[in-house]
Amino acid sequence: MKKLSTAVAREIGKFAGQRLTVGLDLGDRWSHYCVLDEAGQIVLEEKLSTSPKAMQAVLGAMPRSRIALETGMHSPWVSRWLSGLGHETIVAHARNVRLIGESRRKDDRRDARTLARLARIDPQLLSPVQHRSAKAQADLMVIRARAGLVRARTALINTARGLTKSYGERLRGCNPRNMNPEKAMGLSPELQAALEPLLAGIESLSEQIREYNQRIEQLAQESYPQAALLKQVKGVGTLIALTYLLTLQDAQRFRKSRDVGCYLGRQPGRRNSGQSEPQLHISKEGDPYLRTLLVQGAHHILGPFGADSDLRRWGLKLAGRGGKNGKKRAIVATARKLAVLLHRLWVSGEVYEPLRNSSQAMLPAAA
């Protein structure tokens, strides 16, 4: 690695003073990069270890350059590292770079070359995205770790219920928070012996989830006072509010609150051509976990325990139009309006009034 870094530094030194463009295809262990000079000619193609030490040895030796990479597992820390070295870093939206994703001749070297050429011509062709800060990512990891425990608990509960049903018996009670070894007391001795360790594991996960809930509450109170503005909406708790803030991070990145619905993939897709304007499903772009939480919030708002509000009335009216999927469409539409409303509260700092005259409501007109 030392000899390679020295050779790379010597080769790049020949182009000192030029504006270089680099395409970097990140891999889990090794990454490939392609360097173009100002004329668009390839001056270097190599690979390096996907580690801070290798990045510093190779890319740190380059003059300030434009470096393009795709979104992926390593792109958050790599993009921050490269920006810290003084490079102009462009993080391409992997889903939108079809020259790479849908190429019939695809390999890491070609991908790096394509990234470099697109970045040199027009960075907007890469649909660039902005990664969140290191602190926001660390705080969001607390929420994602909790979500992992919830998924694991759900899988174990489904396993326990499936085993009991296949034996002709049932576990009493459906609240996952109260799932413990005592639930097996009414079962046959065979099932009790089989399920006792499993139910103990579920109880342990529930305790860990409660500890995460406390950490999330403390995090919101100490570092994110804006969460209180979002929690004014009944159906939005600390988990939804904090995930919303950390995912969007900067409220000013959106010119209008309505743009948040599009950013989170809550608007219908569009494939219009000539006189054809087909009705498509929502795009489902953006963060899937936040999208799931907003749907959960919409379920509460439109459910039997939802507080009366303009948003609830609008959603119920939409659901009442009938149709086989009327309720599902209402949930999706309410989740979208909820995302827009939360951004409006975040930006304005207003006191939320759940029942306002429709002509003065915060809620935007139906799309």
Side-chain angles (χ1 to χ4, degrees):
M1 186 65 194
K2 184 176 181 181
K3 293 182 180 180
L4 177 61
S5 301
T6 303
V8 168
R10 186 182 302 113
E11 185 69 23
I12 293 176
K14 301 176 182 179
F15 301 93
Q18 291 195 36
R19 179 68 169 176
L20 302 178
T21 305
V22 183
L24 178 62
D25 185 76
L26 294 173
D28 187 49
R29 293 183 178 273
W30 294 94
S31 300
H32 288 72
Y33 64 95
C34 173
V35 183
L36 304 180
D37 61 14
E38 291 183 344
Q41 300 298 316
I42 297 176
V43 298
L44 185 63
E45 284 185 308
E46 286 291 348
K47 70 175 184 178
L48 73 164
S49 173
T50 308
S51 65
K53 183 178 180 180
M55 298 283 177
Q56 177 67 45
V58 177
L59 301 178
M62 292 185 180
R64 290 189 177 183
S65 308
R66 174 180 290 175
I67 302 180
L69 58 148
E70 283 187 296
T71 53
M73 181 65 69
H74 294 280
S75 63
W77 74 264
V78 171
S79 62
R80 290 194 295 266
W81 186 272
L82 294 176
S83 296
L85 294 175
H87 296 297
E88 178 191 355
T89 308
I90 302 171
V91 182
H93 195 312
R95 186 176 178 180
N96 292 344
V97 186
R98 301 201 171 191
L99 281 175
I100 295 177
E102 298 181 4
S103 174
R104 293 180 178 271
R105 302 178 63 189
K106 190 177 188 310
D107 59 56
D108 296 340
R109 188 173 182 179
R110 288 180 178 273
D111 292 351
R113 192 180 300 174
T114 302
L115 282 171
R117 295 199 182 282
L118 290 175
R120 178 180 175 273
I121 297 171
D122 184 359
Q124 293 304 314
L125 295 174
L126 297 172
S127 300
V129 300
Q130 181 67 43
H131 280 306
R132 59 184 59 89
S133 66
K135 182 182 186 310
Q137 184 179 357
D139 293 340
L140 191 58
M141 282 194 295
V142 176
I143 295 175
R144 296 294 173 82
R146 176 194 177 277
L149 290 181
V150 171
R151 288 193 298 270
R153 182 179 66 177
T154 301
L156 292 180
I157 291 174
N158 290 339
T159 298
R161 288 174 176 164
L163 292 173
T164 54
K165 289 179 181 179
S166 67
Y167 205 66
E169 302 182 40
R170 287 181 181 272
L171 281 171
R172 299 302 176 186
C174 58
N175 190 341
R177 300 178 183 86
N178 299 326
M179 193 69 69
N180 52 52
E182 296 179 0
K183 293 290 184 180
M185 296 301 294
L187 301 177
S188 61
E190 299 85 5
L191 273 178
Q192 289 186 32
L195 295 182
E196 184 176 355
L198 183 61
L199 294 175
I202 294 173
E203 185 179 27
S204 176
L205 286 177
S206 295
E207 178 60 31
Q208 295 176 47
I209 291 171
R210 285 191 288 270
E211 292 177 1
Y212 268 116
N213 291 340
Q214 295 174 2
R215 290 180 60 183
I216 291 171
E217 288 285 351
Q218 183 179 3
L219 185 62
Q221 293 176 8
E222 295 178 354
S223 302
Y224 300 94
Q226 308 94 324
L229 294 172
L230 278 55
K231 290 170 62 178
Q232 295 179 94
V233 182
K234 299 299 181 182
V236 175
T238 303
L239 179 62
I240 296 179
L242 189 57
T243 305
Y244 187 93
L245 293 173
L246 291 174
T247 302
L248 272 59
Q249 191 174 8
D250 182 12
Q252 304 302 325
R253 63 190 295 188
F254 301 99
R255 188 171 59 88
K256 298 183 298 183
S257 295
R258 289 172 63 93
D259 295 339
V260 179
C262 301
Y263 174 76
L264 296 177
R266 282 290 162 203
Q267 89 288 2
R270 184 169 59 184
R271 195 179 294 274
N272 298 348
S273 179
Q275 301 300 318
S276 175
E277 297 183 4
Q279 183 177 2
L280 304 178
H281 296 290
I282 59 175
S283 65
K284 292 187 178 180
E285 295 180 345
D287 188 89
Y289 182 63
L290 177 57
R291 193 162 56 246
T292 299
L293 291 181
L294 290 173
V295 168
Q296 293 177 7
H299 272 287
H300 179 87
I301 291 171
L302 300 185
F305 304 106
D308 189 19
S309 65
D310 288 332
L311 182 57
R312 174 180 169 84
R313 292 181 181 183
W314 180 86
L316 292 177
K317 182 179 178 181
L318 185 61
R321 293 179 182 177
K324 182 179 179 180
N325 297 318
K327 182 64 180 295
K328 292 182 179 179
R329 291 194 184 97
I331 290 292
V332 172
T334 302
R336 178 183 180 277
K337 279 190 175 290
L338 178 60
V340 176
L341 172 61
L342 294 180
H343 183 266
R344 179 66 180 273
L345 291 173
W346 185 8
V347 172
S348 66
E350 297 180 25
V351 176
Y352 174 58
E353 298 180 22
L355 292 171
R356 301 179 65 180
N357 187 286
S358 58
S359 63
Q360 300 175 346
M362 288 184 188
L363 301 176

